[in-house]
Each structure stands twice: as structure tokens, then as C-alpha cells.
Amino acid sequence: MEEREISKAVIKRLPRYYRYLGELMENGVERISSGELSKRMSVTASQIRQDLNNFGGFGQQGYGYNVKYLYEEIGKILGLDKKHNMIIIGGGNLGQALANYVDFEKRGFYIKGIFDVNPILKGLSVRGIQIHMLEDLESFIKDEDIQIAALTLPKSKAEEMTKLLVQYGIKAIWNFAHIDLDVPSDVLVENVHLSESLMQLSYNITRYEKEHPRS
Amino acid sequence: MEEREISKAVIKRLPRYYRYLGELMENGVERISSGELSKRMSVTASQIRQDLNNFGGFGQQGYGYNVKYLYEEIGKILGLDKKHNMIIIGGGNLGQALANYVDFEKRGFYIKGIFDVNPILKGLSVRGIQIHMLEDLESFIKDEDIQIAALTLPKSKAEEMTKLLVQYGIKAIWNFAHIDLDVPSDVLVENVHLSESLMQLSYNITRYEKEHPRS
DNA sequence: TAGATTGTTAATCGATTAACAATC
DNA sequence: TAGATTGTTAATCGATTAACAATC
């Protein structure tokens, strides 16, 4: 059953709320009002209340929000209370950088293996995570119940690899390749296009320099 | 002088247009209509024309757009026709992954150096890019005319490093740390929050599973 | 010229902000 | 109870889509 659709804009803000609430918790703050949070995060209080009320009433009139409770509830909305098994496709620098990033595990994302075509990497491991060859991919996905594949390959290889991943039953792809993946509608894709991010920065630099010419 | 402000949504789409036009060029396509491009990119033709007309009329009635011309014009809008000197702050895996990424240079982004606090890395280099110690940072930024710093440090160090970078006159920060940087208004920041991206994917997986329960 | 397709205005849609009654 | 602050409706703002005259 389809519940009312939540807009992408709202989803994009949730992790940021989650991060701020986590910091508040660390600082021992127990309750916070939308007004106070709005100041810290530089968003309107109205937006915070609207966003949260897409998922239910987490606050209390006259009191505000309980930080720990709201943190946990947003965590649940984001699915961080569940375990997600991941693999990394591509044992290059970026793949290894992701493998080395321990914080993912704190959020429920477990990197179970790294896959590469380069036989030189065979048997090596990164932070205890073994690098496997492609021939093991299918059985690994099934045996280890892998949901997510992080795709850190050059564009040229990313396309065929995606076909395999879909065929082997992957549920979601975290895509770092500079290409729009073509997948069936039951496979989810989240893109991280680094060069596009850098181009946006470049645009802003260029515009800023036009508006503020140096003497 | 302030020209009419271009919305963030438009800027975010420009690099994707640029990528598609680049691919069309590689395939020897000389002209394309907004209608044809809209099919390939899965956006509306109307949006393409609106987006482009923020910057000027690049097309011709009855003909469409010249691919090479439009590619170059979008490149100019994004500032890719200019050289941008970059440094990477943080010689860890992510920093090295960025340093190894050659495509940045094709777009005018030159990585001039990597900086780290770890003396073990001193004098090493990645793809010919030397790793320097922090004491050289100030002079390096000035001597090498560095505009952009890619910040690939843990949250704890990112804050103080940002202060230094600002003090030393950096123009823009490409931020990979999980923190919102506090900078003066003349320093531009572009964030890449990997864990937030992964959380969005997690949300979508969770929602999908709710809507499509397994038998 | 006739057909195609842009540039641009107008209409629609959706997201953000403001306001305030409900209520803790 | 009085004050504070939410949840939610209404108003505003901005972005997307549709439509079409201009024109190549």
C-alpha cells in the first residue's frame, strides 16, 4: 500500500537533522524547540515542523522535541535501525577509502567484501575486508545477503557491472561512476557524481569573481 | 553588478547537460533538439530550454542546438575554460583517491599538492603530486595561487583546518568532512556528505520494502 | 514556402513560509 | 493558570510544465 509520497527535498534534509540531533545528544541536550534548532541549522522553524510532521507528531506543545527520541525516530525513518550488507565493486583508491570508513558500520552498513577484476589484488584485504574476484560475485551476494553495492569503477566498466549486479539480485546501487545507470524499477540507485559537485563549485567561483572583480 | 540570480536547481543540472553533450560529441552527433535531448536525459524539453535560456539563446529555431557549441558554452558558464589550482587537505584514502583522479585536470582542476599532519607521509607523492606538511601551507597557497582546497579530514580536525585555510586566503572549499563549515561569506563551500547520501539510499530501500513486502 | 523547433509568456504545480488554534 | 510551542491550515513564493508566436 502506497502511503502519501514524501518529497525528495524532505528526505534530503533528514540526514542533516539526524546529524544535528546526534551532536546535541553528545552535548547532553535533552530537549529542543523547532525555533532553537532552526537557529542552529539555518533553516526555518516552520520547515522543521513541516518536515517532521510528514512522519508523525514527534513533539509536544509547550515543550518542544525530546532530542534522543527524535534522533531515534529519524534513524528509524532512514532505516538506520536495520542492518544493511554492502559490497564495494572496485578495489581502487575510492573503493578502499569507502572500505576504510568505519562510521558506516555505526549506522548499520556492513561492508562484507570488495570485488575487483585485477588478479593482483586477489586475497588482499582492507581493514579486514577481503578483496574477491568477480567469479565469486554471484554466490557472495546470495550467501551474504548483500543489499547494496557501492560502484567505484570507471564509466566504461560500470555499465556491464551494473547488468551483472542486477542479474545477481542486488537491491540498491550506490553509484560513484560518471554515468546514469540503467536499471529496472525495483533496483534503487543513489548517485555520487564527484566531478559534477566540483563543477558546481567552479560555477560559484566563476560567478563570484564576476560579481566581485578584483581591483 | 548583480545579474538576475540563477537558481541552485538550474546550476545542479548544468553538469549533467555538459556530460550528455560531451557524450554526444564523442559519438559524432552535430546537432540536437531539446526534444531529442529530453528523451535521452529523461527531463522535459521545456525544462532544457528554460534552463539554457537563463544564460542566453544558444539554439536556432527549426534547427535545434549545435552540440559542440552548446557544450563549450556550458563549459564556460561552469568556468571549465579557466584553470583552477587545488590542494587536498588530508593524505588518507579519500585524499589519495581524489589525487589519483586524472579527469579533474581535463576540466581545468589542477591538484598542486596534498597536505597532511602525519610526518610519515612527508616527502611521499601520489601520481607525482607531493605530500607536504602543514607548516608549508600558507606559503604554498600564496606561491601556487591555490583557489580550492578539498577537505578530506575527520570532522574533529576539519574545523580548525578551515580556520587556517580561510586565514591563508583560500577562495573555496570542497568539503568531504561530516560537518557544516563556518566560513566568511567570501569563501565558497561545496559539500559532499557521503554518509548522508548513503542514508538517503537507506531510506529508499526501507520505503521500497514497506511498499513491496516479500511474500 | 512548409516544417521544425526555439525562446518566452502563461498556467500549473509543488515547496516553503506564515499564521494561529490546539494543547501541553 | 499563563506561557510556550507544536501541529496544521492558509498564503506565498518559486520552479516546472504547457502553449504558442517568432523565426530559422
Side-chain angles (χ1 to χ4, degrees), chain A:
Chain A
M1 216 210 23
E2 191 115 9
E3 311 203 345
R4 76 221 119 105
E5 188 79 18
I6 310 291
S7 87
K8 262 192 164 182
V10 174
I11 305 311
K12 220 177 154 180
R13 285 192 291 267
L14 287 182
R16 188 155 176 267
Y17 292 138
Y18 188 76
R19 173 156 56 87
Y20 271 82
L21 289 164
E23 281 171 15
L24 286 168
M25 256 173 65
E26 277 174 24
N27 296 334
V29 178
E30 271 180 27
R31 49 175 273 201
I32 193 152
S33 68
S34 58
E36 176 60 22
L37 190 57
S38 100
K39 272 188 231 154
R40 296 183 186 237
M41 296 187 64
S42 304
V43 296
T44 63
S46 201
Q47 180 164 77
I48 293 173
R49 295 203 300 278
Q50 284 279 24
D51 283 353
L52 297 178
N53 276 89
N54 280 301
F55 304 97
F58 301 122
Q60 199 163 81
Q61 283 98 328
Y63 173 88
Y65 299 87
N66 178 289
V67 171
K68 186 158 182 288
Y69 174 68
L70 186 55
Y71 176 81
E72 282 166 2
E73 288 302 309
I74 294 180
K76 282 183 207 165
I77 292 165
L78 290 170
L80 307 181
D81 56 333
K82 305 208 192 75
K83 264 186 77 167
H84 299 279
N85 292 326
M86 272 176 78
I87 49 176
I88 294 170
I89 311 289
N93 286 89
L94 184 54
Q96 297 202 15
L98 294 179
N100 269 295
Y101 190 60
V102 275
D103 272 19
F104 291 146
E105 273 165 32
K106 282 200 298 189
R107 307 281 181 251
F109 303 99
Y110 293 86
I111 301 170
K112 295 294 201 173
I114 303 171
F115 285 79
D116 204 292
V117 282
N118 189 347
I120 284 178
L121 297 172
K122 187 170 183 173
L124 294 181
S125 67
V126 177
R127 198 169 58 87
I129 302 161
Q130 237 196 308
I131 303 184
H132 303 263
M133 295 294 104
L134 279 187
E135 60 256 33
D136 302 331
L137 183 58
E138 182 167 17
S139 58
F140 197 94
I141 289 178
K142 274 156 200 171
D143 297 347
E144 301 280 338
D145 190 27
I146 303 297
Q147 287 191 306
I148 305 174
L151 196 58
T152 69
L153 290 172
K155 177 164 89 167
S156 54
K157 290 181 194 161
E159 220 154 6
E160 45 172 335
M161 188 53 60
T162 299
K163 266 188 212 157
L164 284 181
L165 288 166
V166 168
Q167 191 186 315
Y168 297 161
I170 206 83
K171 296 279 177 297
I173 297 177
W174 197 20
N175 175 41
F176 290 78
H178 307 156
I179 193 178
D180 293 332
L181 299 180
D182 184 27
V183 297
S185 65
D186 61 342
V187 175
L188 302 165
V189 174
E190 175 75 26
N191 292 304
V192 179
H193 289 317
L194 293 184
S195 57
E196 298 190 3
S197 163
L198 188 54
M199 287 184 200
Q200 287 175 60
L201 185 58
S202 172
Y203 171 85
N204 286 318
I205 293 171
T206 308
R207 189 208 48 181
Y208 186 88
E209 286 182 347
K210 256 186 212 141
E211 283 169 14
H212 304 81
R214 274 170 291 184
S215 54

Side-chain angles (χ1 to χ4, degrees), chain B residues 18-160:
Chain B
Y18 189 75
R19 174 156 56 87
Y20 271 84
L21 289 163
E23 282 171 13
L24 287 167
M25 256 172 65
E26 277 174 23
N27 297 332
V29 178
E30 271 180 25
R31 48 175 275 202
I32 193 153
S33 68
S34 58
E36 175 61 22
L37 190 58
S38 98
K39 272 188 231 156
R40 296 183 186 239
M41 296 186 65
S42 305
V43 295
T44 64
S46 200
Q47 181 164 74
I48 293 173
R49 295 204 299 278
Q50 284 279 24
D51 283 353
L52 297 178
N53 276 89
N54 280 301
F55 304 97
F58 300 123
Q60 199 162 80
Q61 284 98 330
Y63 172 87
Y65 299 87
N66 179 288
V67 171
K68 185 160 183 290
Y69 174 69
L70 186 56
Y71 176 82
E72 281 166 1
E73 288 302 310
I74 293 179
K76 281 183 206 165
I77 293 164
L78 290 170
L80 307 181
D81 56 332
K82 305 208 193 74
K83 266 187 76 166
H84 299 278
N85 293 326
M86 272 176 78
I87 50 176
I88 293 169
I89 311 289
N93 286 89
L94 185 54
Q96 296 202 14
L98 293 179
N100 270 295
Y101 190 61
V102 275
D103 273 19
F104 292 145
E105 274 165 31
K106 283 202 297 191
R107 306 281 181 252
F109 303 99
Y110 292 87
I111 300 170
K112 296 293 204 175
I114 302 170
F115 286 79
D116 204 292
V117 280
N118 189 346
I120 284 179
L121 298 171
K122 188 170 183 173
L124 294 182
S125 66
V126 178
R127 198 169 60 84
I129 303 161
Q130 237 197 306
I131 302 183
H132 303 264
M133 294 294 104
L134 278 187
E135 59 256 33
D136 301 332
L137 183 60
E138 181 166 19
S139 58
F140 196 93
I141 289 177
K142 273 154 200 170
D143 297 348
E144 301 279 337
D145 190 27
I146 303 297
Q147 287 191 306
I148 305 174
L151 197 59
T152 67
L153 290 172
K155 177 164 90 166
S156 55
K157 290 181 194 162
E159 219 153 7
E160 44 172 336

